[in-house]
Amino acid sequence: MKAKNKVIIIDDHLLFSQSLKFLINSFEDFNVVNNFENGKDFIDCVTANKIDLDAIDIVLLDVNMPILDGLKTMEWIKINKEDLKVIALSVNDDEETIIKMMKNGAKGYLLKDTSPQIFEEALKTVSDKGFFFTELVSGLLINRLDHDKNIKLELKEKEVIFIKHACTEKTYKEIADEMCLSPKTIDGYREHLFAKLEIRTRIGLVLYAIKNKIVNIE
């Protein structure tokens, strides 16, 4: 029997948190293993070695919390466990907040009134592909890319291939193996494209690929 994906919920609204836990535990492939009321409680637990983040598949992170909010928690995660898959949760669709969460490495952004079906789809997609964007969030992010950079740059064939691989769940080492290149060469592709496209994260690379139809999110 396939092991279930382990999920952590960080949210100060206890009723919502418990309801979300019940919902996620009803999904076939997922199981909530911890709940925290704010980012500080989560970080304290991690730094006390009470949680092995390598064993956690997805974190659902509330944006607005007391003591330590989602933005500050996301900044800590980016520094200490950059590859952790985090889906941000919020009651509002503030563009600046969405952009900040994504730039700090969030793999998705869901409103709290999202349907159970979309919640399950988001969990599965982040687990399988590494990112999930609703139509609303995709529109906001791509519009921001349009505003920030209107010039479509010429990409070499191997750069396009690298970008397509980067839009999957593969690690950079796995991409290197797939492209029959050394990890050092792949690191060079990544840093070159980050500079060329004026982006700073893998999420930015994914958004560029979506905007320019190198990949699609269907």
Side-chain angles (χ1 to χ4, degrees), residues 162 171-191:
F162 170 78
T171 64
Y172 287 122
K173 184 180 182 306
E174 289 170 337
I175 294 172
D177 292 340
E178 192 81 24
M179 294 180 68
C180 300
L181 296 169
S182 71
K184 186 174 181 180
T185 301
I186 288 299
D187 287 344
Y189 274 141
R190 182 188 65 227
E191 296 308 316

Side-chain angles (χ1 to χ4, degrees), residues 51-62:
I51 296 177
D52 178 10
L53 289 185
D54 288 333
I56 301 303
D57 297 292
I58 295 175
V59 171
L60 295 172
L61 176 62
D62 186 17

Side-chain angles (χ1 to χ4, degrees), residues 7-11 16 20 58-65 69-75 77 84-94 96-114 118-119 122-123 126 130-134 137 141 203:
V7 179
I8 285 176
I9 298 172
I10 308 174
D11 195 297
F16 175 81
L20 186 57
I58 295 175
V59 171
L60 295 172
L61 176 62
D62 186 17
V63 173
N64 300 302
M65 295 180 292
D69 64 17
L71 286 169
K72 293 296 184 183
T73 304
M74 197 68 239
E75 289 174 6
I77 290 171
L84 186 62
K85 296 172 184 172
V86 179
I87 299 176
L89 303 175
S90 182
V91 295
N92 63 65
D93 56 1
D94 175 65
E96 289 303 318
T97 301
I98 294 173
I99 297 295
K100 287 177 182 176
M101 291 298 287
M102 293 302 185
K103 282 187 174 181
N104 278 307
K107 310 304 182 186
Y109 192 102
L110 294 176
L111 297 179
K112 288 190 174 183
D113 61 358
T114 297
I118 297 296
F119 251 113
L123 289 170
V126 168
F131 63 92
F132 176 85
F133 303 127
T134 61
V137 173
L141 295 173
I203 287 291

Side-chain angles (χ1 to χ4, degrees), residues 8 10 36 38-46 53 73 77:
I8 285 176
I10 308 174
F36 297 96
N38 57 70
K40 184 178 184 302
D41 288 349
F42 165 73
I43 292 170
D44 287 348
C45 198
V46 173
L53 289 185
T73 304
I77 290 171

Side-chain angles (χ1 to χ4, degrees), residues 95-96 98-99 134-150 207-208 210-212:
E95 180 178 345
E96 289 303 318
I98 294 173
I99 297 295
T134 61
E135 186 175 335
L136 168 67
V137 173
S138 295
L140 286 174
L141 295 173
I142 292 172
N143 284 341
R144 172 58 67 91
L145 280 180
D146 283 333
H147 179 266
D148 290 346
K149 191 171 187 66
N150 292 315
L207 293 173
Y208 178 87
I210 294 170
K211 173 181 178 289
N212 290 285

Side-chain angles (χ1 to χ4, degrees), residues 190-202:
R190 182 188 65 227
E191 296 308 316
H192 174 71
L193 282 167
F194 279 8
K196 186 175 184 177
L197 303 177
E198 297 180 11
I199 56 177
R200 293 187 296 172
T201 66
R202 192 165 176 171

